[in-house]
Amino acid sequence: MEWAIELENVERHYPMGNEVVHALRGINLRMERGSFWAVMGPSGSGKSTLLNILGCLDRPGRGRFLLAGHETGRLPDDALSAMRLKHLGFIFQSFHLIPQLTVAENIALPLHYLGWEAKKSFKRAAELAERVGLGDRLRHRPSELSGGQQQRAAIARALANDPQVLLADEPTGNLDSATGEQIMGLIEELHRQGKTIIMVTHEPNLAARASLRLHLRDGLVESIEGEKA
Amino acid sequence: MNLFRDLRLGLKNLMLHKLRSLLAILGVVFGVASVIAMLAIGEGAKGEVLERIHRLGSRLIFMDTTKPADGERGDTTRARMSVYGLKYSDAQRMSASFAALTRVVPVKFMRKTGRVLERVLEVRAVGTTPGWFELVKRPLLAGRALSTLDEEQAANVAVLTEQGARRLLTGGEGVGSALRIGTEVFTVTGIVQSAGGSKGDLKTPDQDTDAYIPLSSARRRFGDIMSRGSGRTQDSELVELHQIIAEVDAENNVEAVAAGLGHLLKTAHRDSDYEVRVPLALLRQAEETQRTFNIVLGSIAGVSLLVGGIGIMNIMLASVTERTREIGIRRAIGATRTQIVRQFLAETVALSGLGGILGVGLGMLIPGLVTQFSKMPTQITPGSVALAFGISAGVGIVFGLYPAARAAALDPIAALRHD
Ligand SMILES: Nc1ncnc2c1ncn2[C@@H]1O[C@H](COP(=O)(O)OP(=O)(O)OP(=O)(O)O)[C@@H](O)[C@H]1O
Ligand SMILES: [Mg+2]
């Protein structure tokens, strides 16, 4: 079995004045390559905290986290950046496109940091934009796009470095249901193409479309349901 | 409607930033402009002095006779004779005592009336030795200069300047014409060009109305006594030499030899009836002036650049705050801290570099205006433009480091959550 993600007793505490917030209190979890996970749980249960650790934006306070077999716990900041650049793609609830850049430039941003030359990365950005249905919007600014189009541009950007793992924090949270449906369709397609997808969502009907559902409560795994874990 | 408003707001925002950026770089603009102007003015002044010294001869030392100040005593009725100035013996002693002197040229000036036929010109009869023409190098236009033989024989020969010749020899007479100087008749043997006149504090040794004659002839025909009288007063003066020009073998020795000559004259003269001028010393003086000038303008430039740098830092700090989310996005995608630093530094350097370009433009206008209004020469060197540009880039780096470091130090998670 090939694991995209392995967590062993992962804890994360936030000191708040004299008290300590226990955001994650010992998570044990393994996610197979190519699986599609929905992460659910009430507000404050630690979903985003978990996703930040999976996304190498944060390190576990205690325990071990392995991404594609590499332990991240003791890596310096630059190495974490390199992990993100190599293995990960992010899809955010509020799209997070850079407003002064065009759609093509936004999509090509990871390629810029990978050191691709401009011409080649523009070509790839154009291909990706075509793939998400934005082939005719390359030179537009994000502000000239609808919410659904912006999220599709963001997904194209997340795919630019061809990552193994896609992390999505409520990707449809800012979209109406019809547009959200389009985005879900796109995500399902990426899953079919072999990407590992971890999606935080509050909506049970969207979570139902993932192959596995992880329920968090108070920083602990409450349950995992779906095809055998 | 909504879209239209958003677009207009975005455009307005951009304009606001343009103005904001322009205001931020003003300090750099003025700083760089004053660096360019300072260097151009300094360079020009130095160039002018150098050129003037070159025209005079940088290895020359001039000693002039001056009239002592305590000459007048209430008694104005009796005839008086004042004796002062440089002596023939001074010139001889100089060439005997200083090995570093390659030439010592004694000079005697007399105001005389020059006549060719009926044409009259007030000339400055210059009694000197042939060495004059080797120190005061002027192209010979016709005939020949004074020779050693002329000097030995105390020949009645004269060399005119081009300007003098043009006024006295208008009838087509040339070399060989008879020229009456005072009461004596001389033969014109040559005509030289003259750079006559004075520019600033440096007088050229030659004048336009010079008539050069052998020193021996001058002594024999006109003597050393000059009378100047009117009515009841009758003053006369005995001056042997009006000037001694000494040439030193090398520029490095000029100042030492000048000091030695000064000492020699001091022991030989009771009164201070002479003056030693060293053209090369003017260079030191010019350099001194330039240094003072540079300190003043340099401080202005420094303050402007400091203010400009702070202005740019301020704008970049604001920009970092405004673009916190962008920084978070870039970091999440995989940008390292170093790459964020580089991005913001590049922006700051671009901004200050733009200030540098505008400053160079402005700085290149200023010297032109200075030259136009004050007749001060200026010279913009490529080196000064490069320096000014380098300074502006340096300001960008120095004052961009802190904002860039702030940007890079942001926690990506917090930056992404920022709105
Ligand atoms: N930077 C932080 N500093 C202090 N406490 C934090 C920080 N980030 C998260 N927490 C706390 O950790 C706990 C888990 O937060 P997290 O954001 O992971 O919840 P969540 O499941 O994503 O909630 P939501 O569904 O509302 O997004 C919460 O109690 C939260 O207050
Ligand atoms: Mg959350």
Side-chain angles (χ1 to χ4, degrees):
Chain A
M1 187 74 60
E2 215 177 330
W3 303 111
I5 277 159
E6 297 162 80
L7 297 165
E8 289 174 23
N9 287 316
V10 165
E11 298 180 21
R12 184 69 171 95
H13 312 289
Y14 294 108
M16 292 292 281
N18 290 334
E19 290 177 33
V20 176
V21 178
H22 299 275
L24 296 176
R25 307 202 280 179
I27 306 279
N28 284 290
L29 194 63
R30 284 199 284 201
M31 295 176 167
E32 204 182 325
R33 259 183 97 120
S35 55
F36 181 4
W37 289 72
V39 181
M40 304 189 72
S43 184
S45 57
K47 304 183 295 293
S48 295
T49 305
L50 177 63
L51 216 62
N52 286 340
I53 289 174
L54 298 184
C56 294
L57 291 166
D58 194 10
R59 296 185 190 82
R62 216 175 276 159
R64 271 158 44 95
F65 162 50
L66 283 77
L67 173 65
H70 305 284
E71 179 157 7
T72 63
R74 309 224 184 301
L75 287 180
D77 194 79
D78 281 4
L80 278 185
S81 290
M83 291 290 278
R84 295 197 290 271
L85 191 57
K86 185 159 179 230
H87 299 290
L88 296 168
F90 289 89
I91 304 165
F92 302 97
Q93 180 176 357
S94 45
F95 327 134
H96 282 346
L97 296 169
I98 296 178
Q100 47 293 19
L101 302 183
T102 63
V103 166
E105 288 165 342
N106 266 290
I107 295 175
L109 207 54
L111 304 177
H112 168 74
Y113 289 116
L114 280 169
W116 285 36
E117 57 168 273
K119 223 180 195 164
K120 213 172 120 195
S121 47
F122 181 83
K123 199 162 152 261
R124 172 143 174 89
E127 282 165 17
L128 288 163
E130 195 67 50
R131 200 162 139 194
V132 299
L134 287 176
D136 54 346
R137 292 285 192 276
L138 283 176
R139 291 176 203 286
H140 288 236
R141 307 272 157 188
S143 60
E144 295 159 4
L145 300 181
S146 72
Q149 287 171 327
Q150 287 188 50
Q151 191 60 299
R152 278 187 274 158
I155 290 172
R157 180 181 65 191
L159 294 172
N161 56 339
D162 195 21
Q164 173 50 228
V165 178
L166 285 175
L167 301 171
D169 199 345
E170 297 193 52
T172 62
N174 279 8
L175 301 172
D176 61 59
S177 54
T179 321
E181 182 51 42
Q182 288 177 4
I183 296 299
M184 265 316 286
L186 199 52
I187 289 174
E188 283 178 316
E189 195 190 316
L190 294 172
H191 171 230
R192 278 195 298 277
Q193 288 165 6
K195 299 286 183 206
T196 310
I197 294 170
I198 301 154
M199 176 182 76
V200 170
T201 182
H202 282 290
E203 295 185 49
N205 58 328
L206 292 185
R209 294 162 73 165
S211 36
L212 291 147
R213 278 160 296 285
L214 168 69
H215 292 271
L216 294 183
R217 182 174 293 276
D218 294 333
L220 285 169
V221 176
E222 187 185 46
S223 65
I224 295 172
E225 49 165 324
E227 51 182 66
K228 71 153 200 63
Chain B
M1 180 61 203
N2 216 330
L3 185 75
F4 185 65
R5 220 187 63 184
D6 281 349
L7 271 174
R8 218 181 49 184
L9 233 147
L11 210 73
K12 231 167 112 177
N13 212 19
L14 203 73
M15 283 310 292
L16 197 76
H17 280 230
K18 261 187 201 155
L19 185 66
R20 195 173 80 168
S21 310
L22 192 73
L23 290 176
I25 62 175
L26 271 185
V28 171
V29 171
F30 289 126
V32 166
S34 45
V35 167
I36 297 254
M38 165 182 81
L39 293 173
I41 292 169
E43 202 61 38
K46 199 164 148 191
E48 195 198 29
V49 169
L50 276 177
E51 192 215 300
R52 276 151 56 187
I53 288 170
H54 189 73
R55 277 203 308 162
L56 282 173
S58 54
R59 289 185 289 123
L60 299 189
I61 298 168
F62 291 87
M63 284 146 286
D64 298 285
T65 287
T66 56
K67 195 170 178 167
D70 57 345
E72 302 301 330
R73 292 182 199 99
D75 184 4
T76 49
T77 50
R78 258 182 43 206
R80 259 195 355 245
M81 180 156 82
S82 30
V83 180
Y84 64 91
L86 299 165
K87 304 271 184 272
Y88 299 115
S89 57
D90 289 333
Q92 277 155 12
R93 213 171 308 143
M94 282 172 194
S95 30
S97 336
F98 291 93
L101 284 181
T102 45
R103 267 188 202 90
V104 175
V105 175
V107 188
K108 200 171 169 62
F109 298 125
M110 289 151 291
R111 293 256 144 237
K112 296 283 176 196
T113 307
R115 283 196 181 80
V116 173
L117 303 176
E118 76 287 358
R119 290 182 290 276
V120 177
L121 176 69
E122 291 304 317
V123 298
R124 186 178 78 155
V126 180
T128 188
T129 56
W132 168 280
F133 297 94
E134 277 152 57
L135 295 191
V136 188
K137 290 195 187 76
R138 307 284 182 248
L140 193 64
L141 299 174
R144 59 168 182 86
L146 299 179
S147 69
T148 354
L149 197 67
D150 296 333
E151 179 63 29
E152 279 166 18
Q153 299 180 338
N156 271 20
V157 289
V159 172
L160 282 176
T161 64
E162 189 190 6
Q163 288 84 351
R166 215 175 273 143
R167 287 160 70 178
L168 285 169
L169 307 178
T170 48
E173 306 89 343
V175 171
S177 316
L179 163 70
R180 213 129 62 81
I181 298 177
T183 53
E184 301 291 322
V185 179
F186 287 73
T187 309
V188 177
T189 62
I191 297 168
V192 288
Q193 218 167 52
S194 167
S198 59
K199 204 174 177 196
D201 44 355
L202 284 180
K203 281 203 287 291
T204 55
D206 56 333
Q207 288 181 10
D208 289 346
T209 56
D210 282 350
Y212 304 101
I213 58 175
L215 182 63
S216 50
S217 321
R219 270 181 93 178
R220 199 163 305 168
R221 312 285 172 249
F222 304 114
D224 293 329
I225 299 171
M226 268 194 299
S227 311
R228 222 182 1 202
S230 60
R232 291 182 300 155
T233 49
Q234 179 77 41
D235 280 356
S236 55
E237 299 180 333
L238 194 157
V239 177
E240 294 185 6
L241 289 174
H242 294 88
Q243 189 173 56
I244 298 172
I245 309 173
E247 185 194 48
V248 185
D249 56 356
E251 269 185 22
N252 286 342
N253 296 333
V254 168
E255 270 144 315
V257 171
L261 291 175
H263 188 73
L264 182 148
L265 289 173
K266 199 167 187 172
T267 45
H269 292 243
R270 259 189 308 127
D271 303 323
S272 61
D273 51 358
Y274 61 89
E275 185 184 52
V276 181
R277 289 187 293 134
V278 186
L280 195 66
L282 288 173
L283 187 62
R284 304 269 170 280
Q285 220 173 305
E287 280 168 351
E288 199 60 42
T289 317
Q290 191 185 12
R291 197 165 313 132
T292 320
F293 195 70
N294 279 0
I295 289 169
V296 173
L297 258 181
S299 337
I300 294 172
V303 169
S304 305
L305 287 170
L306 184 72
V307 170
I310 291 170
I312 284 181
M313 183 158 88
N314 189 34
I315 216 99
M316 287 313 289
L317 282 173
S319 175
V320 167
T321 307
E322 272 166 22
R323 292 160 66 186
T324 298
R325 195 117 79 103
E326 176 189 330
I327 294 161
I329 294 165
R330 288 177 184 271
R331 293 280 280 133
I333 283 171
T336 60
R337 293 211 156 110
T338 318
Q339 282 166 329
I340 298 293
V341 166
R342 223 180 289 157
Q343 181 196 342
F344 277 88
L345 262 191
E347 284 184 30
T348 323
V349 171
L351 202 60
S352 69
L354 181 71
I357 290 174
L358 295 178
V360 166
L362 187 66
M364 283 171 63
L365 286 180
I366 295 172
L369 292 177
V370 166
T371 307
Q372 193 145 39
F373 288 114
S374 73
K375 301 278 177 281
M376 237 178 3
T378 52
Q379 195 188 349
I380 297 165
T381 60
S384 72
V385 173
L387 177 73
F389 218 76
I391 288 176
S392 64
V395 165
I397 290 173
V398 168
F399 290 93
L401 266 177
Y402 176 63
R406 277 261 295 246
L410 287 171
D411 169 38
I413 298 168
L416 279 171
R417 224 184 280 129
H418 189 270
D419 48 18

